[in-house]
């Protein structure tokens, strides 16, 4: 399955009117399997026409096939090919904008020196004023070291930037949070902790992103201890929250109780461990984790200390074996691991009404189109299929709530509240196999998550801002 969701290419071509017609070109594109989704005339003369033709293709290989077909068509000259996704990234995706225009010397003297000095002094005398007089109260740092970027692995800090810029866009659009992408050129845990601590004054929260397990656990724990602003590893907790929301609704469809289900989860890394913990907290009793070397079980000394802990809290029957072995009889499959590792044969071994959440990005553990005939509820992490289980449903609203009540942390109660809030957006009447989780564009999500998270923060005593509504 393709990693290039809805890949569209725009082909600028010139064709000689007396040699080839546009319908010949459209036929050639169609025969190569492309779908024309847009046409623009760039210029036209008596002999030639230049057009931009936007074509939907499956992936980059397919794009090459379509373009080669056109190159071989008599009378056609391909001028250039652009990819809409690349075009959207030129120069990056976000920018900083001032809230106030500086039009006069007087404005200048207020926003900058000398006027600004009085503001600085006020904050120096009372650092909590940073919340009212600087960007701190609405600003989150999105921090990555580029070591576990989507499912692409350790691609480094430069290559991680487009994802972090994308997260920043989503923070802003979905919850009005100003987020800065910060990719660090170090994999050293101590150094990352030091750097994040040192930049924290500018931020109201820290969103850790795509930092590989097991280092991500220590980094998050240490930062939580040392900072008085929320520190949240999105791949762990954002994913876990949305997964739980989706599962609560999917279980209603299959009419199974959370305490009775058998869950098999692949990828015992950042997302997998957090998903397991939230499922245990929500009442799941039988969950088996599978990583590259099979089911995590007791009686083995793993190099990864988190796996030893994992073995102790999961797999009640202490089953060993491969994914194919342990999937038999499972009610739910959750994948936060790698592309294509779940086969149709595996799905066929699952219990009645299987629920399959294949959440690896950008390519899931099983192609949803291949799995669909055999599953009752299918979800992926992708935007181009129904039931997108993706942490984007959580992180904007959870930080909005945490920032608005000035929470010192995002605790378990706040996460569970967020999961229930997301699940609640889908009403009983709306709930169906293809609608277990609200859309990313459903504007109720962030607001409902914000409210639920704030309530939980006040209830658990971690909110610093006095708010009559939540007392
Ligand atoms: N849909 C969503 O919202 C999210 C999806 N993900 C996806 O989940 C995957 C894992 O992400 P992280 O936990 O952040 O990475 P990670 O690097 O912390 O963990 C990945 C784990 O998967 C295991 N793994 C790799 N290949 C495997 C295989 N063939 N069989 C079994 N286990 C295998 C690795 O050994 C590792 O333990 C990625 O594809 C990522 O895109 C992660 C976070 C959110
Ligand atoms: C969605 C996300 O955060 C990931 O795949 O890493
Ligand atoms: Mg991520």
């Amino acid at each position: 399955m393709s990693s290039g969701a809805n890949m569209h290419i725009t082909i600028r071509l010139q064709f000689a009117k007396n040699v080839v017609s546009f319908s010949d070109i459209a036929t050639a594109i169609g025969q190569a399997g492309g779908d024309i989704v847009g046409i623009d005339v760039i210029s036209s003369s008596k002999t030639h026409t230049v057009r931009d033709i936007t074509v939907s293709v499956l992936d980059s290989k397919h794009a090459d096939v379509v373009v080669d077909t056109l190159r071989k068509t008599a009378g056609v000259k391909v001028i250039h090919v652009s990819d809409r996704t690349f075009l959207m990234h030129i120069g990056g995706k976000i920018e900083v904008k001032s809230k106030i225009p500086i039009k006069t010397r007087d404005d200048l003297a207020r926003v900058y020196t000398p006027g600004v000095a009085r503001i600085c002094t006020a904050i120096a005398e009372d650092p909590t004023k940073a919340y009212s007089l600087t960007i701190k109260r609405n600003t989150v740092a999105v921090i990555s070291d580029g070591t576990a970027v989507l499912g692409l692995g350790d691609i480094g800090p430069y290559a991680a930037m487009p994802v972090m810029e994308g997260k920043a866009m989503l923070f802003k659009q979905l919850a009005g949070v100003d987020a800065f992408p910060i990719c660090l050129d170090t994999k050293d845990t101590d150094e990352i902790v030091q750097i994040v601590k040192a930049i924290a004054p500018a931020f109201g929260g820290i969103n850790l992103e795509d930092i590989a397990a097991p280092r991500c656990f220590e980094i998050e724990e240490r930062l939580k201890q040392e900072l008085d602003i929320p520190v949240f590893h999105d791949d762990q907790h954002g994913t876990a929250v949305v997964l739980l929301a989706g599962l609560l609704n999917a279980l209603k469809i299959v009419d199974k109780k959370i305490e009775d289900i058998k869950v098999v989860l692949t990828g015992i890394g950042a997302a997998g461990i957090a998903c397991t913990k939230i499922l245990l907290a929500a009442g799941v009793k039988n969950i088996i984790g599978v990583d590259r070397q099979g089911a995590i079980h007791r009686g083995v000394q793993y190099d990864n200390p988190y796996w030893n802990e994992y073995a102790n809290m999961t797999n009640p029957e202490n089953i060993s074996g491969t994914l194919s072995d342990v999937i038999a009889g499972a009610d739910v499959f959750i994948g936060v691991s790698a592309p294509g590792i779940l086969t149709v044969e595996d799905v066929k071994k699952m219990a009645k009404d299987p629920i399959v959440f294949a959440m690896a990005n950008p390519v899931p553990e099983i192609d949803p189109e291949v799995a669909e005939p055999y599953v009752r509820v299918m979800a992926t992490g992708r935007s181009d299929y129904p039931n997108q289980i993706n942490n984007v449903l959580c992180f904007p609203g959870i930080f909005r709530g945490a920032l608005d009540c000035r929470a010192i942390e995002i605790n378990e109660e706040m996460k569970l509240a967020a999961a229930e809030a997301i699940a609640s957006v889908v009403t009983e009447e709306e709930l169906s196999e293809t609608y277990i989780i609200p859309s990313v564009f459903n504007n109720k999500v962030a607001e409902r998550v914000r409210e639920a998270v704030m309530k939980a923060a006040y209830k658990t005593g971690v909110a610093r801002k006095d708010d009559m509504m939540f007392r």
Side-chain angles (χ1 to χ4, degrees):
M1 133 171 241
S2 139
S3 65
N6 285 334
M7 188 171 163
H8 286 179
I9 51 168
T10 300
I11 309 163
R12 178 161 294 183
L13 49 81
Q14 184 190 57
F15 60 95
K17 286 176 170 174
N18 61 345
V19 182
V20 64
S21 69
F22 181 72
S23 81
D24 296 332
I25 292 170
T27 307
I29 292 173
Q31 280 171 350
D35 255 342
I36 297 181
V37 293
I39 305 158
D40 278 315
V41 179
I42 303 302
S43 64
S44 187
S45 69
K46 281 195 178 140
T47 52
H48 287 88
T49 299
V50 176
R51 289 191 184 189
D52 274 353
I53 305 179
T54 303
V55 182
S56 171
V57 289
L58 297 174
D59 51 27
S60 3
K61 271 195 194 148
H62 186 205
D64 292 344
V65 172
V66 172
V67 173
D68 276 353
T69 306
L70 289 172
R71 286 205 169 103
K72 284 178 196 149
T73 306
V76 172
K77 183 178 162 201
V78 174
I79 300 172
H80 64 74
V81 182
S82 51
D83 169 331
R84 250 184 9 163
T85 310
F86 269 83
L87 289 176
M88 282 175 122
H89 284 82
I90 288 174
K93 298 187 291 249
I94 56 168
E95 63 182 359
V96 174
K97 271 198 178 145
S98 304
K99 289 183 184 167
I100 319 151
I102 307 168
K103 289 188 177 154
T104 63
R105 289 221 149 255
D106 187 50
D107 292 341
L108 178 64
R110 286 174 202 277
V111 302
Y112 189 48
T113 181
V116 74
R118 283 199 299 122
I119 310 301
C120 301
T121 309
I123 299 171
E125 283 164 5
D126 176 5
T128 63
K129 289 209 167 109
Y131 279 99
S132 51
L133 296 172
T134 74
I135 59 172
K136 185 175 177 77
R137 71 171 169 200
N138 199 46
T139 308
V140 165
V142 179
I143 310 257
S144 183
D145 61 359
T147 52
V149 181
L150 308 176
L152 305 172
D154 184 356
I155 58 172
Y158 292 96
M161 273 300 283
V163 174
M164 306 314 137
E165 289 181 19
K167 296 266 175 190
M169 292 168 82
L170 292 162
F171 263 116
K172 186 68 181 179
Q173 179 167 330
L174 301 175
V177 173
D178 294 304
F180 275 69
I182 298 174
C183 290
L184 305 176
D185 194 4
T186 172
K187 295 179 193 174
D188 184 87
T189 298
D190 292 336
E191 210 171 10
I192 293 174
V193 171
Q194 280 310 319
I195 293 168
V196 177
K197 269 176 65 185
I199 63 167
F203 299 101
I206 303 291
N207 183 74
L208 301 173
E209 190 68 46
D210 294 352
I211 299 178
R215 275 176 321 109
C216 61
F217 303 122
E218 185 184 339
I219 291 169
E220 189 194 35
E221 274 319 307
R222 282 176 55 186
L223 286 171
K224 274 165 99 171
Q225 299 292 324
E226 300 193 30
L227 291 175
D228 67 348
I229 53 174
V231 177
F232 182 83
H233 182 200
D234 179 39
D235 296 287
Q236 290 184 59
H237 314 299
T239 315
V241 162
V242 184
L243 160 80
L244 179 58
L247 187 62
L248 291 173
N249 279 344
L251 289 176
K252 288 181 202 159
I253 291 174
V254 297
D255 197 19
K256 291 183 186 177
K257 291 204 180 94
I258 200 159
E259 57 272 23
D260 297 336
I261 56 172
K262 174 179 172 183
V263 178
V264 170
L265 185 149
T266 58
I268 312 308
I273 292 179
C275 288
T276 302
K277 284 185 177 164
I278 208 165
L279 292 179
L280 292 171
V284 173
K285 300 220 158 34
N286 187 1
I287 178 160
I288 302 175
V290 181
D291 210 275
R292 285 193 174 94
Q293 48 280 83
I296 309 276
H297 60 286
R298 294 173 292 287
V300 178
Q301 193 57 35
Y302 295 106
D303 290 341
N304 180 341
Y306 296 94
W307 285 3
N308 294 317
E309 192 191 314
Y310 191 94
N312 287 327
M313 64 186 183
T314 57
N315 201 346
E317 290 165 31
N318 206 28
I319 297 169
S320 57
T322 63
L323 171 60
S324 295
D325 299 330
V326 301
I327 194 90
D331 301 283
V332 179
F333 168 84
I334 295 164
V336 270
S337 49
I341 64 163
L342 184 72
T343 66
V344 166
E345 291 313 308
D346 295 333
V347 176
K348 285 184 186 165
K349 290 187 206 160
M350 292 177 70
K352 187 167 175 276
D353 293 332
I355 297 172
V356 171
F357 291 175
M359 292 156 59
N361 284 323
V363 182
E365 282 76 2
I366 187 165
D367 183 336
E369 275 160 29
V370 172
E372 227 142 26
Y374 308 97
V375 300
R376 179 79 188 270
V377 183
M378 176 80 216
T380 68
R382 295 169 62 111
S383 323
D384 51 352
Y385 285 98
N387 293 336
Q388 183 182 19
I389 307 238
N390 194 292
N391 47 33
V392 63
L393 283 163
C394 173
F395 66 79
I398 213 165
F399 269 99
R400 182 72 277 156
L403 291 174
D404 287 352
C405 67
R406 221 165 280 173
I408 51 170
E409 62 175 25
I410 294 173
N411 59 29
E412 297 313 304
E413 289 80 357
M414 290 157 82
K415 291 177 208 161
L416 284 173
E420 281 160 15
I422 296 167
S424 78
V425 174
V426 180
T427 63
E428 298 286 326
E429 297 75 50
E430 291 170 326
L431 186 66
S432 77
E433 281 81 352
T434 51
Y435 188 46
I436 55 160
I437 196 90
S439 150
V440 172
F441 294 105
N442 186 324
N443 55 18
K444 286 189 199 136
V445 176
E447 183 50 34
R448 215 172 273 189
V449 170
R450 168 189 177 268
E451 262 179 42
V453 163
M454 284 176 76
K455 248 186 225 163
Y458 281 102
K459 198 169 153 206
T460 52
V462 299
R464 279 176 289 192
K465 194 168 170 197
D466 198 18
D467 191 323
M468 301 276 283
M469 270 183 53
F470 290 94
R471 260 197 231 145

